[in-house]
Every structure is written in structure tokens, then in C-alpha cells.
């Protein structure tokens, strides 16, 4: 998911998907959000913010993200409001805030929320943090670590907005990926398939990317010849814990202990 | 055997426990907010804990195929500490959250005036938020504590049939049942209640409105006690349907009073995005 669909498309999709009760609830809530007075930060919680919290049980978990996104838009939530909702939110509410940042915050002033989400180990938050707002505003170092974190925690790199554009010709990212691949290989563990995909994106040659790429093509032979050019000792200190055994259905999950 | 543990503190348990619970048949849990063994010194410490019950812990549980909900409250022990009581003012904003299925654990610890105040205030909040309440009964002076608890509920806006009285035993079950409350039993190694006593109580009082939990936490406890009670019931000639009633349908009915239970783990927040988890990035 690299593009957020238009608001009209979201609204239309929800209108058809929701049952009549949920649709009526959403219409009413969007009206409340649109009508609310800019709040002072004092006094009781504005009604629309309560609706924001309740969206999961009113619209169903599968539609909650879209409903919350529409509410934030209708309320024209500013950075201060978004920050408060994020800080006081459940994981689902936080994810919804992260997904609206590129719509509602023109500059980097909400980047702290993205950075907070990237420090968590909840893959749903990490995935939301590498969306369009993160792609637009994360600095090079933080963005590379975000990509690496996706690979560590099993978040598909399909979630990383503008992946090809930002990865193209990124020699430092290629080096990090190569080192990560070597570390995995040394530990006798498979290298995530997504890693090769991202690595390939960093390798785009000068003629196909001359217009956007100022860095030269990258040396990535280290991945093909594990350990050959490693300059730092392999360490197990950062090795993630092994995933749990097969007993539980989701137990092959990436370890949330990864940090 | 499908199992819903209606009272377990997973924050204190390991992933090995989640794995063993799933293998034993546990598919849903409710984690009540309680004290952490180490006293807290500020309201912020509670908010981080509540956020964890609404964020990180359901994510962990979902990875093991278990649906996780929580109850939120200021617990009776810390209701006595003036550094903690400002938490009461912030509870309403937590009680609207989708994953909160009751107010709890509330109730008495030492039966102090501060506990009276916190219990009455939180019963009112449960009524306002249209939530049921999980009410802990005290370990010391238990029968007197139970009577006082029932009296306070009677005076509150919350009907008795929206209250689960927990940690019951042979001495308290009858009065709790007569009051019309839901009946919770915590089955521990060594203390409180064991499997055989639990089966004896089920024989005497029947399975209606009875919930069995492990109340497993950071102390000596066993997250598989629910399963062991199910096995003991079958060994004592209860039917599989009666086991299902106690270990699954009763907790479902009680917390279902909130209108907020969502047991479809595949649809939880974690695995919603987490098809990526299932692919196994490791
Ligand atoms: Zn407890």
C-alpha cells in the first residue's frame, strides 16, 4: 500500500460495505466532526473524538481504519489534535492517525509520531509508519532503518511507500542490506526474500535513473559471496530470538522481541 | 475443548505460556487491569499500563491465535494511595475504547473509606459507559467483604446481573448467587480454589453463570488451570456441553454484555496488517 485512496472513494466504499446502522452512525459522526468547534484542549472530550475511539465496534474492525480516517478529515484535525489522539489511542487508533498524516499535515511537524511508531515492535504500527508521510519526511538514516526494521519484523516491503524512488542508488542502504544478509547467512538462517527485492531496487543502473539519481551504482557482490568483504566481526548479540514452534497457528511470526 | 479465560494477567506471562495455552484450547482471554506487585508512584505509570493492555498485549496474543480483551480500572489496593487516585479522572476516556469489555478489577482489599469511594465511583462509570463490572472479592475477611460489596453494588446504578464477583469460594458462593451476580472462581496452585473443589461446587450449584479463571499473574499460578478444570469436570461425568458452558459460553455471555467482544483473531489489529507476520519474516 503506497497510495492512500481518495476520500471520495473511501467514503463511497464504506457506504456500500456498511450495514444501515453502521452507515447511519458514520454519517452522524462525520457531521459531528465537521461541526465541532476548535477545542481548547480543556473540558470534556469532544463528541467526535469519542466516535473516533468507537469506530471499531460501530463499523467493524475491517472498516475501522477507513472510518477513522474520514473522521479525522471531517474534523480537520491539526497536528496538536492528531498528536493527542495518537498518544491516547489504542494500537488501532494510532494506526489510523499515522495513515492520515500525509493528508492532514503538510510539513514534517508530525514526524515525531512516525518515529514513535517505528520504535514499537507492533508490525501494524511499523507498517503504517512507512506509508506516504514517512516516505516524504523521514531522513535518510531513519528511513533506511525503517526499511531494515520491516525486513526484521516481517512487515512486507509492499507497505513502504515510494520504496523504489527512495531506494534507487542508495549505496548505504545496499551496504546495510548486504551486512544483514551476511549476518543471517552466518547464523544459518534464511535471508528474507524481500531483502533481495530491495537490494535490486538499489542497483538501478545510471541510464534508467539518471534523472533522479546522483549516486553511482552500488557494489553488492558481498551478498553473492557471503562474508567476503565484511569489515566488521559477525555478532550474535543483535540476533533476534527464534520464532516459536509450530504449535500455534501464527507462531511462525516474526519475533516481536526484535528491537 | 474451547476455552475462554476470563481473568488472566498476560502482561506477566511469557510467549511459552501463550503457546501452551493455545495448545490446551484457549482461544480468548480477558486481562483485567490490576496492580503489578510493585506499587506505582504516579498516574502516568497507569496510563502506560493501560496503553499496553490496549496495544502491545493484544498484538502478542494474536500472534498465538488468542483474542485478547481487557478491563480497565483503578485497583482497590492502589485506590488507597493518594499518588494514584487522579487516575479515576482519566478512566472515562479509556472506557470508550473498543477492546475494553468491562470496568475492573474493582472491589475491596482492606475495606477502607478510600476503597469505598473508588468502588462507588467506578460502578457509576461502568453504568455510564454501558459496561459490566469485574469485582474482586477480598482475600482477608472475605465473607464480610462480599456482603459489603453486594450492598455497594445494590446502591449503585449498575444492576447486579451486570456484575461478576470474582475469587469466590465455598463460603461466599451462595450469597453471590442469591444476589443474582455472575460467579467467578480463580483456580490456583495451592490457594484459593483447586480443580476438585471447583468440581464439587459445580455439582452443588450448577454451571449457570459460573466462570472459571486461572487469574495467572506474576505470582505462583498456572495459566492452564482452566483446561485442568475442564478435564476434572469430564472425569466427574459432566457433559462436554456443560464444560463448554462454563469454559466458553458463560464468559462469552458475561463480557458480551459490553457489546464489544470480537473473537475473530484473524480480524484483530495485529493480524489485519499481520498477513505480513504470517508470512514469517524470520
Ligand atoms: Zn487478577
Amino acid at each position: 500500500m503506497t497510495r492512500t485512496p481518495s476520500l471520495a472513494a473511501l467514503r463511497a466504499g464504506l457506504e456500500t460495505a456498511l450495514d444501515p446502522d453502521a452507515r447511519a452512525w458514520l454519517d452522524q459522526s462525520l457531521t459531528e466532526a465537521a461541526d465541532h468547534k476548535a477545542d481548547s484542549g480543556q473540558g470534556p472530550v469532544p463528541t467526535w473524538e469519542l466516535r473516533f475511539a468507537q469506530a471499531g465496534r460501530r463499523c467493524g474492525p475491517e472498516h475501522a481504519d477507513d472510518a477513522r480516517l474520514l473522521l479525522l478529515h471531517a474534523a480537520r484535525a491539526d497536528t496538536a489534535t492528531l498528536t493527542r489522539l495518537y498518544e491516547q489511542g489504542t494500537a488501532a487508533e494510532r494506526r489510523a492517525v499515522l495513515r492520515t498524516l500525509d493528508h492532514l499535515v503538510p510539513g514534517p511537524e508530525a514526524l515525531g509520531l512516525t518515529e514513535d511508531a517505528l520504535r514499537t515492535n507492533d508490525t501494524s504500527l511499523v507498517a503504517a509508519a512507512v506509508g506516504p508521510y514517512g516516505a516524504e519526511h523521514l531522513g535518510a538514516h531513519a528511513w533506511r532503518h525503517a526499511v531494515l526494521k520491516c525486513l526484521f519484523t516481517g512487515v512486507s516491503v509492499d507497505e513502504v511507500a515510494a520504496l523504489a524512488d527512495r531506494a534507487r542508488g542508495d549505496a548505504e542502504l545496499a551496504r546495510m542490506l548486504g551486512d544483514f544478509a551476511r549476518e543471517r547467512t552466518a547464523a544459518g538462517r534464511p535471508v528474507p526474500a524481500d531483502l533481495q527485492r530491495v537490494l535490486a531496487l538499489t542497483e538501478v543502473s545510471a541510464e534508467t535513473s539518471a534523472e533522479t539519481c546522483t549516486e553511482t551504482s552500488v557494489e553488492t557482490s558481498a551478498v553473492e559471496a557471503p562474508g567476503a568483504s565484511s569489515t566488521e566481526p559477525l555478532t550474535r548479540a543483535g540476533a533476534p530470538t527464534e520464532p516459536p514452534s509450530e504449535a500455534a497457528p501464527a507462531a511462525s511470526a516474526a519475533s516481536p522481541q526484535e528491537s | 475443548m474451547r476455552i475462554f479465560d476470563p481473568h488472566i494477567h498476560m502482561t506477566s506471562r511469557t510467549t511459552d505460556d501463550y503457546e501452551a495455552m493455545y495448545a490446551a484450547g484457549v482461544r480468548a482471554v480477558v486481562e483485567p487491569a490490576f496492580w503489578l506487585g510493585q506499587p506505582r508512584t504516579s498516574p502516568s505509570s497507569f496510563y502506560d499500563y493501560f496503553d499496553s493492555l490496549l496495544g502491545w498485549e493484544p498484538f502478542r496474543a494474536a500472534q498465538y491465535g488468542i483474542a485478547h480483551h481487557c478491563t480497565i480500572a483503578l485497583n482497590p489496593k492502589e485506590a488507597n494511595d493518594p499518588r494514584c487516585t487522579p487516575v479515576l479522572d482519566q478512566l472515562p476516556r479509556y472506557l470508550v475504547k473498543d477492546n475494553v469489555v468491562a470496568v475492573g478489577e474493582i472491589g475491596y482489599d482492606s475495606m477502607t473509606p478510600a476503597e469505598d469511594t473508588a468502588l462507588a465511583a467506578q460502578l457509576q462509570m461502568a453504568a455510564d459507559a454501558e459496561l459490566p463490572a469485574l469485582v474482586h472479592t477480598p482475600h482477608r475477611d472475605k465473607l464480610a467483604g462480599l456482603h459489603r460489596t453486594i450492598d455497594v453494588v445494590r446502591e449503585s446504578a449498575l444492576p447486579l446481573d451486570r456484575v461478576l464477583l470474582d475469587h469466590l469460594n465455598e463460603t461466599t458462593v451462595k450469597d453471590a448467587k442469591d444476589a443474582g451476580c455472575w460467579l467467578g472462581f480463580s483456580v490456583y496452585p495451592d490457594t484459593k480454589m483447586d480443580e476438585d473443589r471447583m468440581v464439587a461446587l459445580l455439582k452443588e450449584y450448577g454451571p449457570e453463570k459460573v466462570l472459571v479463571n486461572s487469574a495467572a499473574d506474576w505470582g505462583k499460578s498456572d495459566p492452564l488451570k482452566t483446561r485442568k478444570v475442564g478435564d476434572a469436570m469430564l472425569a466427574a461425568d459432566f457433559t462436554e456441553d456443560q464444560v463448554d458452558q462454563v469454559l466458553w459460553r458463560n464468559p462469552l455471555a458475561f463480557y458480551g454484555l459490553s457489546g464489544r467482544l470480537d473473537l475473530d483473531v484473524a480480524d484483530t489489529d495485529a493480524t489485519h496488517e499481520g498477513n505480513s507476520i504470517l508470512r514469517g519474516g524470520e
Side-chain angles (χ1 to χ4, degrees), chain B residues 204-267:
Chain B
E204 185 169 354
Y205 292 94
E208 287 77 29
K209 293 179 100 168
V210 170
L211 288 74
V212 172
N213 63 74
S214 70
D217 57 15
W218 32 255
K220 184 173 181 184
S221 48
D222 177 358
L224 305 182
K225 278 295 185 191
T226 47
R227 171 67 197 231
K228 289 168 186 171
V229 167
D231 290 340
M233 285 177 72
L234 291 175
D237 293 330
F238 281 94
T239 65
E240 291 197 4
D241 186 70
Q242 288 169 316
V243 173
D244 191 68
Q245 179 181 2
V246 171
L247 294 184
W248 185 261
R249 300 199 304 271
N250 286 347
L252 200 68
F254 173 71
Y255 288 116
L257 294 171
S258 69
R260 305 184 191 178
L261 273 184
D262 174 21
L263 298 186
D264 191 354
V265 171
D267 275 351

Side-chain angles (χ1 to χ4, degrees), chain B residues 53-212:
Chain B
L53 296 182
L54 290 161
W56 181 235
E57 205 55 46
F59 174 79
R60 261 178 20 114
Q63 288 192 308
Y64 293 85
I66 295 175
H68 181 288
H69 294 80
C70 68
T71 77
I72 294 286
L74 172 62
N75 64 76
K77 211 180 275 275
E78 289 174 305
N80 291 301
D81 187 334
R83 293 173 302 179
C84 300
T85 46
V87 169
L88 287 170
D89 299 331
Q90 291 296 316
L91 286 176
R93 76 175 169 87
Y94 282 98
L95 298 181
V96 300
K97 305 291 188 191
D98 283 338
N99 266 19
V100 178
V101 292
V103 172
E105 299 176 51
I106 52 177
Y108 284 115
D109 180 56
S110 304
M111 292 191 272
T112 63
E115 292 173 22
D116 283 329
T117 305
L119 176 56
Q122 293 183 96
L123 287 168
Q124 182 63 49
M125 288 181 206
D128 293 343
E130 298 178 356
L131 287 172
L134 169 60
V135 181
H136 157 110
T137 56
H139 304 302
R140 304 174 302 278
D141 200 9
K142 201 170 190 67
L143 187 57
L146 180 93
H147 290 151
R148 184 145 152 198
T149 303
I150 292 173
D151 288 345
V152 174
V153 175
R154 255 189 238 289
E155 288 166 21
S156 79
L158 195 68
L160 284 151
D161 61 4
R162 291 176 71 82
V163 169
L164 168 59
L165 292 175
D166 211 348
H167 314 317
L168 297 176
N169 62 22
E170 291 85 351
T171 66
T172 50
V173 57
K174 183 169 188 311
D175 291 345
K177 187 177 173 79
D178 290 347
C181 296
W182 296 76
L183 312 171
F185 296 88
S186 300
V187 182
Y188 264 90
D190 306 337
T191 57
K192 287 189 183 168
M193 193 37 76
D194 66 28
E195 295 92 310
D196 295 334
R197 287 164 60 199
M198 189 65 236
V199 166
L201 281 175
L202 281 162
K203 280 190 173 152
E204 185 169 354
Y205 292 94
E208 287 77 29
K209 293 179 100 168
V210 170
L211 288 74
V212 172

